[in-house]
């Protein structure tokens, strides 16, 4: 028994000793390789940059650490700088690149790095590259002439390396500055802060460039920005942009939420303006811009996109009519006129808005109460949104097809057709409203017109209006029955509405026509003509023209 215990103890000592020696051997080998390969990497990295750039760039770093046991490589405080003297010589020889870079990173870390494949097979292979705090300046000069043959990335590295593969590349908290010099030597500068960049499956080898599943050697580039907030120029609103990202492979720009938020409540807002001015509350969710051209956007400040989708949203507008009207007029401010005045070229083939709620509220100076008009579940499709002359020459119509629920019950469809080459803002609007309970209009007619609709069955309202910034005319056909109204008066102290019995009776019996068509008569059609109040908006002109046609049809032209 004693002999057996002694034998087992001896075996354990041998095992422990062998394990300790193995650990020392591995650690020692790792330490040696770390030291040897780190020294080699420091030299090779600097030489690579000098050789590949023909001495244009040099790289410096505070520290480089290789750990073969954890398969990681870390660089700290790395900087790539440009030799301006070399660049000037290249420009004189017409072999300078049109694009140059200045780069500084706080830390660069390769994970799951395979040093054996790098040192024995000249293949740089890593599972991930994490770059922390990069600052990148990219300058692109279209006046620079490079007469040398363009070389691919693989051709540039092939003398030193067989391939480069990074499974996932992430740049955190990136500052990026882009400077573009046009042919006329004018410059455009864009600066972005706190970017996050993700690159998936990045590969440079002899075949990757021609791989149709890759975009610039990677499966995809995803660029995100920190949420953005700033005041508008008039300091009346905050503008918020949240959830910003760009998918390079899909050429899709995404915004999670866009919001225009008043900086003050309604009372303080009106005190700030001092005159009548629309107060907006705008929120759009899930915005996707498809096939946007980043080159035109950054270099030429032009917005070209195939389609824009808005997932949902709301637009609330409030106006205090008790304030004085502002000075001047609103000529030249129709949608098509504003589009032509934009300072940047714009072309959006199609814009689609889904499930947007629109509300317009107005404080009446007569009743001192607020009337409200609502359009819910608005769906709109806008086509040919552009101010580019060559595009307008082919098609000068910007068309919007809209459907919505009007005032809770009316099913509304409308088409807006704006002439893009019309200095006077020519337009056409046609539409149809069906199956509406007219009593739903009371939230607007009572405070704004002191009229209560007791009953009003709207079967069909069809309209076709055309005009410009000065006037509008058209055709309005309203089919309805069972119209009864009440003329209201208002208590001076408590602002409560009560019915004027005699006036209401006279209106219903002698003025108002209770249906269209009346029994034994043809359908009445109205042909309204409306001169625009040039201090009011495009939508006010459309509404006034339509309302004039409705009043003529029901026999109430003298109503508000």
């Amino acid at each position: 028994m004693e002999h057996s215990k002694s034998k087992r103890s001896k075996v354990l000592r041998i095992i422990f000793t062998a394990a300790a020696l193995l650990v020392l051997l591995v650690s020692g080998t790792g330490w040696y390789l770390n030291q040897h390969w780190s020294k080699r990497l420091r030299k090779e990295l600097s030489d690579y940059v000098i050789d590949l750039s023909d001495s244009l760039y040099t790289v410096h770093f505070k520290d480089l650490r290789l750990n073969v046991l954890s398969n990681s490589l870390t660089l700290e405080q790395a900087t790539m700088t440009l030799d301006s003297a070399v660049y000037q010589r290249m420009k004189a020889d017409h072999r300078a690149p049109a694009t140059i870079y200045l780069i500084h990173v706080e830390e660069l870390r390769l994970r799951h790095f395979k040093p054996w494949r790098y040192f024995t097979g000249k293949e740089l292979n890593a599972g991930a590259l994490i770059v922390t705090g990069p600052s990148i300046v990219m300058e692109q000069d279209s006046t620079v002439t490079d007469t040398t043959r363009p070389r691919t990335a693989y051709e540039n590295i092939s003398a030193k390396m067989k391939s480069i593969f990074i499974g996932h590349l992430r740049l955190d908290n990136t500052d990026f500055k882009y400077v573009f010099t046009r042919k006329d030597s004018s410059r455009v500068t864009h600066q972005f802060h706190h970017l996050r960049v993700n690159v998936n499956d990045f590969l440079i080898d002899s075949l990757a460039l021609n791989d149709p599943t890759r975009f610039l050697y990677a499966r995809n580039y995803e660029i995100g920005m920190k949420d953005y907030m700033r005041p508008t120029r008039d300091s009346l609103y905050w503008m918020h942009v949240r959830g910003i990202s760009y998918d390079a492979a899909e050429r899709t720009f995404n915004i999670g939420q866009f919001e225009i938020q008043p900086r003050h409540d309604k009372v303080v807002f009106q005190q700030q303006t001092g005159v009548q001015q629309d107060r907006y509350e705008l929120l759009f969710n899930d915005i996707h811009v498809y096939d946007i051209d980043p080159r035109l956007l950054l270099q030429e400040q032009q917005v070209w996109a195939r389609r824009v989708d808005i997932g949902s949203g709301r637009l609330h507008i409030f106006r205090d009519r008790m304030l004085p009207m502002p000075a001047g007029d609103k000529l030249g401010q129709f949608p098509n006129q504003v589009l032509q005045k934009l300072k940047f070229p714009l072309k959006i083939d199609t814009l689609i808005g889904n499930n947007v709620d629109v509300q317009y509220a107005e404080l009446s100076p007569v009743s001192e109460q607020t009337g409200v008009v609502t359009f819910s579940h608005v769906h709109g499709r806008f086509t040919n949104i552009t101010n580019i002359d060559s595009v307008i020459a082919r098609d000068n119509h910007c068309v919007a097809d809209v459907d919505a629920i009007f005032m809770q019950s009316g099913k509304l469809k409308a088409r807006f057709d704006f002439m893009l080459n019309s200095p006077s803002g020519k337009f056409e609007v046609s539409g149809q409203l069906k199956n509406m309970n007219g009593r739903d209009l009371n939230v607007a007619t009572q405070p704004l017109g002191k009229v209560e609709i007791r009953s009003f069955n709207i079967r069909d309202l069809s309209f076709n209006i055309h005009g410009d910034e000065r006037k509008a005319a058209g055709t309005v056909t309203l089919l309805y029955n069972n119209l009864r109204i009440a003329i209201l008066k208002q208590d001076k102290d408590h602002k409560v509405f009560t019915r004027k019995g005699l006036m209401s009776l006279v209106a219903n019996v002698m003025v108002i026509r209770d249906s269209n068509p009346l029994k034994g008569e043809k359908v009445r059609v109205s042909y309204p003509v409306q001169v625009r109040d040039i201090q009011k908006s495009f939508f006010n002109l459309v509404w006034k023209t339509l309302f004039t046609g409705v009043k003529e049809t029901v026999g109430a032209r003298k109503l508000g």
Side-chain angles (χ1 to χ4, degrees):
M1 190 70 174
E2 293 288 337
H3 177 72
S4 176
K5 288 182 178 180
S6 176
K7 187 175 181 179
R8 285 199 300 271
S9 177
K10 185 177 181 179
V11 171
L12 289 174
R13 284 198 300 273
I14 292 172
I15 292 173
F16 289 148
T17 300
L21 289 172
L22 181 62
V23 169
L24 287 172
L25 178 62
V26 171
S27 299
T29 303
W31 178 86
Y32 171 76
L33 291 176
N34 285 342
Q35 297 299 311
H36 177 69
W37 281 348
S38 291
K39 183 178 179 181
R40 185 174 165 184
L41 273 172
R42 287 187 183 95
K43 186 176 187 310
E44 287 189 355
L45 180 58
S46 297
D47 290 345
Y48 281 162
V49 173
I50 292 173
D51 292 346
L52 292 175
S53 68
D54 198 9
S55 299
L56 180 61
Y57 293 104
T58 56
V59 66
H60 305 277
F61 43 86
K62 182 179 179 181
D63 191 22
L64 182 150
R65 298 189 304 276
L66 173 67
N67 191 323
V68 296
L69 299 181
S70 64
N71 291 330
S72 65
L73 173 66
T74 303
L75 272 75
E76 291 186 355
Q77 299 295 328
T79 302
M80 188 177 79
T81 57
L82 176 138
D83 188 322
S84 57
V86 173
Y87 187 58
Q88 292 303 319
R89 287 199 300 271
M90 286 183 166
K91 288 176 69 174
D93 296 338
H94 300 296
R95 58 187 186 90
T99 304
I100 59 175
Y101 302 89
L102 302 174
I103 300 173
H104 174 79
V105 301
E106 297 294 326
E107 183 183 80
L108 184 150
R109 191 186 328 156
L110 276 174
R111 293 177 177 174
H112 310 296
F113 174 51
K114 299 176 176 60
W116 292 100
R117 292 179 63 173
Y118 172 77
F119 287 107
T120 61
K122 291 300 178 183
E123 297 177 0
L124 196 160
N125 190 294
L129 172 58
I130 311 300
V131 183
T132 303
S135 175
I136 303 170
V137 178
M138 176 181 174
E139 296 188 15
Q140 192 169 11
D141 190 343
S142 62
T143 66
V144 172
T145 302
D146 183 3
T147 59
T148 61
R149 183 182 70 84
R151 292 168 59 87
T152 67
Y154 176 70
E155 287 176 325
N156 284 326
I157 70 164
S158 58
K160 300 283 186 180
M161 209 171 299
K162 291 181 181 179
S163 65
I164 298 176
F165 173 78
I166 307 293
H168 178 72
L169 169 60
R170 189 179 80 212
L171 284 75
D172 289 331
N173 199 28
T174 303
D175 286 343
F176 178 72
K177 182 179 181 180
Y178 175 74
V179 181
F180 177 70
T181 303
R182 299 190 178 104
K183 290 289 187 181
D184 61 2
S185 296
S186 63
R187 305 180 87 190
V188 177
T189 301
H190 300 277
Q191 189 118 21
F192 305 94
H193 299 287
H194 310 297
L195 295 176
R196 59 183 183 278
V197 181
N198 289 290
V199 182
N200 298 319
D201 196 352
F202 181 84
L203 173 66
I204 297 177
D205 65 8
S206 60
L207 302 175
L209 183 62
N210 297 317
D211 185 345
T213 66
R214 294 183 180 275
F215 173 77
L216 294 178
Y217 299 99
R219 297 295 183 194
N220 194 14
Y221 292 74
E222 296 175 350
I223 303 171
M225 287 180 62
K226 184 180 179 181
D227 292 350
Y228 177 82
M229 180 182 75
R230 64 168 295 173
T232 55
R233 288 185 178 181
D234 58 14
S235 297
L236 292 174
Y237 299 91
W238 285 112
M239 180 174 67
H240 299 269
V241 188
R242 306 180 181 96
I244 310 166
S245 65
Y246 176 69
D247 188 311
E250 299 292 333
R251 297 213 313 171
T252 302
F253 183 67
N254 305 296
I255 298 175
Q257 194 173 76
F258 176 81
E259 182 178 16
I260 298 294
Q261 181 185 54
R263 300 182 70 177
H264 311 288
D265 62 23
K266 293 176 181 177
V267 174
V268 177
F269 183 93
Q270 303 302 337
Q271 290 174 349
Q272 292 280 330
T273 61
V275 295
Q276 290 187 30
Q277 183 171 326
D278 290 338
R279 178 183 182 273
Y280 296 94
E281 296 179 35
L282 172 68
L283 179 68
F284 288 150
N285 300 307
D286 300 323
I287 304 169
H288 304 285
V289 185
Y290 297 98
D291 286 336
I292 189 169
D293 191 321
R295 183 191 65 81
L296 286 174
L297 180 62
L298 293 175
Q299 295 182 3
E300 305 297 335
Q301 295 181 296
Q302 299 185 20
V303 179
W304 290 64
R306 177 176 58 85
R307 196 176 88 187
V308 177
D309 283 356
I310 300 173
S312 62
R314 70 171 183 267
L315 171 60
H316 290 181
I317 305 170
F318 174 79
R319 193 174 185 93
D320 186 349
R321 292 290 184 190
M322 297 183 69
L323 294 172
M325 289 292 289
D329 57 56
K330 289 192 173 184
L331 292 174
Q333 296 186 30
F334 275 18
N336 42 346
Q337 293 173 317
V338 172
L339 185 59
Q340 297 307 305
K341 292 178 182 179
L342 289 179
K343 294 182 179 180
F344 58 90
L346 171 68
K347 182 181 183 298
I348 299 174
D349 293 342
T350 305
L351 185 150
I352 297 176
N354 297 292
N355 198 27
V356 177
D357 289 334
V358 179
Q359 174 183 291
Y360 176 78
E362 184 176 295
L363 180 60
S364 169
V366 177
S367 67
E368 298 184 12
Q369 293 191 13
T370 301
V372 180
V373 176
T374 61
F375 301 84
S376 56
H377 304 291
V378 178
H379 172 85
R381 180 184 180 89
F382 300 75
T383 58
N384 197 37
I385 304 172
T386 186
N387 59 0
I388 298 173
D389 292 340
S390 59
V391 178
I392 294 173
R394 296 192 299 269
D395 182 0
N396 68 336
H397 295 267
C398 176
V399 176
D401 289 295
V402 179
D403 61 80
I405 302 299
F406 176 59
M407 302 294 280
Q408 310 303 319
S409 61
K411 298 176 177 60
L412 174 66
K413 289 183 180 292
R415 164 167 281 208
F416 297 81
D417 186 350
F418 298 101
M419 307 338 164
L420 296 177
N421 58 352
S422 171
S424 62
K426 288 183 179 180
F427 70 91
E428 290 186 5
V429 182
S430 59
Q432 185 178 43
L433 177 69
K434 300 189 70 173
N435 302 324
M436 180 178 175
N437 182 351
R439 295 182 64 183
D440 291 333
L441 294 168
N442 280 324
V443 292
T445 61
Q446 288 184 5
L448 300 181
K450 292 188 178 181
V451 174
E452 178 187 3
I453 297 174
R454 311 281 290 197
S455 64
F456 189 19
N457 179 28
I458 301 174
R459 302 198 309 273
D460 186 284
L461 170 62
S462 299
F463 54 91
N464 195 313
I465 298 169
H466 59 274
D468 56 27
E469 65 177 354
R470 293 287 183 177
K471 62 185 182 305
T475 303
V476 176
T477 305
L478 172 62
L479 305 181
Y480 67 96
N481 60 275
N482 197 27
L483 173 60
R484 292 289 185 273
I485 66 170
I487 308 299
L488 304 177
K489 61 182 178 180
Q490 192 175 22
D491 182 90
K492 291 183 179 180
D493 296 323
H494 301 94
K495 305 300 181 184
V496 176
F497 289 112
T498 56
R499 183 170 178 259
K500 292 183 177 180
L502 180 59
M503 289 187 65
S504 298
L505 177 63
V506 171
N508 286 310
V509 173
M510 302 184 64
V511 179
I512 297 298
R513 299 170 180 175
D514 68 352
S515 64
N516 186 26
L518 292 168
K519 188 175 181 179
E521 294 185 1
K522 294 181 179 180
V523 171
R524 299 187 303 279
V525 178
S526 176
Y527 302 94
V529 176
Q530 184 72 33
V531 176
R532 181 195 176 193
D533 181 341
I534 59 174
Q535 287 189 303
K536 295 184 178 179
S537 68
F538 164 78
F539 290 101
N540 180 270
L541 174 61
V542 173
W543 164 249
K544 286 289 188 182
T545 307
L546 179 59
F547 192 43
T548 297
V550 170
K551 288 191 294 182
E552 289 178 353
T553 301
V554 302
R557 295 192 62 175
K558 294 183 180 181
L559 291 179

